[in-house]
Amino acid sequence: MKIILAFDSFKGSLTAEEAVNAAAKGIIKVCPHAKIIRLPMADGGEGTTEAICKSLKTKWTTCPAHDPFMRPIISKYAITTDGTTAIMEMAAAAGLTLLDETERNPMRTTTYGVGEMIANAIEQGCKKILIGIGGSATNDCGMGMLAALGGKIETKKERLSYPKGQDCKDITTIDLSNISLQGIEINAICDVTNPLFGKEGAAYVYGKQKGANEKEIEILDKGLQNVANICGINPNYPGSGAAGGLGYGLALIGATLKKGVDAIIEAAKFEEHLKGADMVITGEGKVDNQTLNNKLPFGVMKVAQKHHIPTIALAGKVANIEELLAAGFHAIHCINEDDMPLTECMNSTIAKKHLTETTGKLCITLKN
């Protein structure tokens, strides 16, 4: 029997790797001779770089950069051992986690450090860059990143050394002719499909959680509109509004916007692992109808479905089961009791135990 375990994290409880290992433990107890393929995964958000690095042979490296307030930092990213591909997250240089809550303000933050990371990877000889663009503290439409790469971003008054969110409304010139990326492939990994601006755009949907008030959100949105008017590239392309418009900024230099789950599945060589598989078991903290919005379990199931391999989803909390089954899942199981307190459900030790037990019971059913 060959079983593939392809899990995202159980947020706040288990990492993807912990989930995979707990599930494997349950299988081994019941089917000690089963061939188990362990694939810790992510869908573009937190943990994406780590998930891809586990699928590729990589080494970690560091580079000097600047945080969202242009304070010097050392950022970390990975390079494949053949030196051809860099895997990074924009959050390593421009993420919310780099700031205290009192500092959060997308009017004043920049993606300049992201451009520094990309430039460093190119200097290292990388020809392909995979960059996760979740968790940003910024809303500068990637103008800071472009400036760091050599772009000339100007207002009527001055050239902006490191454009910030509040500057976008005043930009009059975006000259990218000095950015040389010939032979460089950039894939931006994102888990949102928002357009650049408007009520569903970067500022209105994500500005508040980054620290902007209502008036500032209006200003930021106007800035994004201004950049789009200058550049002329479609601002409604899914993912343009990711990371405060960084998705759009990356598209300006020829980057391809990829859904996180697609990039992870490709990097993990998931389809190759499906050969000879009897079952795929996937899951994350919560599985419901939102899972059908190309969350990791859904993406895994759709690929397995093409190869006629059944997929079972496990989660700490489950809803909309009939809808999920109709979409193609073979079965859906909650690892917790219905009346279990949330604090117990979120406890890492308990979650591992329940995931192991649930997977073991599944294998008994398969054997019978």
Side-chain angles (χ1 to χ4, degrees):
M1 182 184 294
K2 179 180 177 181
I3 300 174
I4 297 174
L5 302 176
F7 281 80
D8 200 344
S9 64
F10 284 50
K11 199 164 186 178
S13 181
L14 300 175
T15 66
E17 187 168 15
E18 287 173 332
V20 164
N21 290 336
K25 187 177 178 181
I27 296 171
I28 292 167
K29 282 185 177 179
V30 178
C31 304
H33 302 297
K35 182 178 181 180
I36 303 171
I37 305 297
R38 309 183 193 206
L39 300 176
M41 291 185 161
D43 60 9
E46 182 181 356
T48 296
T49 300
E50 288 81 359
I52 292 177
C53 287
K54 289 183 184 302
S55 302
L56 302 173
K57 292 181 179 180
T58 61
K59 57 184 178 181
W60 289 94
T61 188
T62 58
C63 70
H66 290 84
D67 80 356
F69 282 113
M70 289 300 293
R71 296 174 296 208
I73 58 171
I74 299 296
S75 292
K76 180 181 176 183
Y77 67 95
I79 298 178
T80 52
T81 52
D82 64 6
T84 62
T85 304
I87 303 104
M88 61 180 65
E89 291 185 2
M90 73 83 63
L96 270 178
T97 57
L98 298 176
L99 307 179
D100 293 333
E101 282 198 32
T102 55
E103 295 181 312
R104 295 181 179 183
N105 186 343
M107 293 282 283
R108 298 173 51 228
T109 53
T110 179
T111 54
Y112 191 90
V114 180
E116 291 177 303
M117 290 176 66
I118 293 172
N120 185 266
I122 294 171
E123 288 172 8
Q124 298 296 323
C126 296
K127 298 298 182 184
K128 184 174 182 178
I129 297 171
L130 295 173
I131 177 168
I133 56 174
S136 76
T138 55
N139 202 104
D140 70 348
C141 205
M143 294 297 105
M145 171 205 65
L146 295 175
L149 289 171
K152 187 166 70 172
I153 317 297
E154 296 180 326
T155 67
K156 287 182 178 179
K157 296 180 179 180
E158 61 181 336
R159 178 172 177 173
L160 300 171
S161 298
Y162 43 94
K164 304 176 290 295
Q166 64 190 13
D167 297 323
C168 289
K169 68 184 187 309
D170 299 317
I171 291 172
T172 55
T173 302
I174 300 173
D175 182 355
L176 307 181
S177 60
N178 287 332
I179 298 179
S180 178
L181 295 174
Q182 187 173 359
I184 306 297
E185 177 186 342
I186 301 177
N187 291 312
I189 306 166
C190 61
D191 56 355
V192 302
T193 57
N194 302 76
L196 182 61
F197 58 81
K199 295 301 181 182
E200 299 300 318
Y204 276 100
V205 175
Y206 301 107
K208 185 175 181 180
Q209 71 188 45
K210 297 177 185 182
N213 60 37
E214 290 184 11
K215 180 62 178 175
E216 289 169 336
I217 287 171
E218 289 181 18
I219 293 170
L220 292 167
D221 189 68
K222 288 178 181 177
L224 299 174
Q225 291 184 50
N226 180 50
V227 170
N229 289 336
I230 294 169
C231 298
I233 290 181
N234 181 12
N236 296 314
Y237 187 83
S240 295
L246 178 62
Y248 188 83
L250 285 164
L252 291 175
I253 52 175
T256 301
L257 300 182
K258 282 193 171 186
K259 293 176 182 175
V261 64
D262 295 339
I264 291 287
I265 286 173
E266 180 183 325
K269 299 182 180 178
F270 180 67
E271 287 201 72
E272 291 183 25
H273 289 303
L274 286 173
K275 294 173 184 176
D278 298 288
M279 177 70 65
V280 174
I281 303 177
T282 185
E284 59 182 340
K286 184 178 182 181
V287 171
D288 56 16
N289 55 4
Q290 293 302 307
T291 300
L292 304 181
N293 293 331
N294 218 43
K295 289 289 189 179
L296 181 87
F298 181 72
V300 163
M301 181 274 290
K302 294 303 289 184
V303 176
Q305 190 178 51
K306 286 194 305 181
H307 296 267
H308 310 290
I309 299 169
T311 300
I312 294 174
L314 307 180
K317 187 174 182 181
V318 170
N320 314 112
I321 292 179
E322 294 302 321
E323 200 172 336
L324 292 166
L325 294 175
F329 285 98
H330 181 74
I332 311 290
H333 294 285
C334 182
I335 67 172
N336 297 312
E337 302 284 342
D338 289 340
D339 57 351
M340 183 175 290
L342 181 61
T343 52
E344 286 189 38
C345 294
M346 297 296 290
N347 181 281
S348 178
T349 302
I350 293 174
K352 287 177 187 176
K353 179 175 180 287
H354 287 182
L355 185 52
T356 297
E357 291 174 348
T358 304
T359 313
K361 290 175 184 177
L362 274 177
C363 285
I364 291 172
T365 303
L366 289 174
K367 285 178 68 177
N368 296 335

